[in-house]
Amino acid sequence: MRSGHLSNLSKTEEMAAGGSSTGDISNLSDLRIVLLGNREAGKSSAGNTILGREEFDLKRRTAQCVKRQGEVAGRQLTVVEAPGWMKYNEYFYKDSPNLLKQEIVLSVTLT
């Protein structure tokens, strides 16, 4: 998103794009990624690949959001891994525990 287009965004959209409600548009080159998916989908491996180093534990199941940061190709990068949800008969399990739902929502706020 180019900075010239931010004047047309709502305050919420501007904040999500990295600015603030007062018009501060700093750090537009920062990149924020949230890794979502079912259990054993490879979110930790993807996060490690994106950051170019071993930051996410591959041996343990993620029960809470994990946030890692680094610099990649000259850009500040934030990667948040949310806990995976259960998969049942190739369809996502709709009745995920409330704690899992809260962690997934939290993952977005951590970016």
Side-chain angles (χ1 to χ4, degrees):
M1 184 177 307
R2 294 181 301 221
S3 61
H5 294 281
L6 284 178
S7 61
N8 297 330
L9 296 177
S10 71
K11 289 183 180 187
T12 303
E13 291 169 323
E14 183 177 335
M15 290 174 71
S20 72
S21 61
T22 60
D24 177 23
I25 310 172
S26 61
N27 300 324
L28 282 180
S29 64
D30 292 359
L31 186 59
R32 300 170 191 98
I33 299 171
V34 178
L35 302 172
L36 300 169
N38 61 305
R39 290 182 185 169
E40 299 180 9
K43 296 179 298 297
S44 296
S45 294
N48 289 338
T49 299
I50 291 166
L51 290 171
R53 60 183 186 272
E54 297 295 315
E55 287 285 337
F56 295 95
D57 189 351
L58 300 177
K59 296 178 182 166
R60 293 181 38 194
R61 185 171 64 96
T62 303
Q64 293 181 320
C65 293
V66 178
K67 177 180 177 178
R68 299 291 183 254
Q69 295 178 305
E71 187 174 311
V72 177
R75 294 178 77 177
Q76 186 63 33
L77 189 63
T78 301
V79 179
V80 177
E81 179 186 7
W85 51 78
M86 292 175 38
K87 198 168 146 182
Y88 179 76
N89 267 350
E90 299 303 312
Y91 296 99
F92 295 116
Y93 188 60
K94 293 181 181 180
D95 297 321
S96 295
N98 283 334
L99 181 59
L100 175 61
K101 290 177 185 178
Q102 291 171 0
E103 285 296 319
I104 291 170
V105 169
L106 176 64
S107 69
V108 176
T109 65
L110 288 175
T111 62

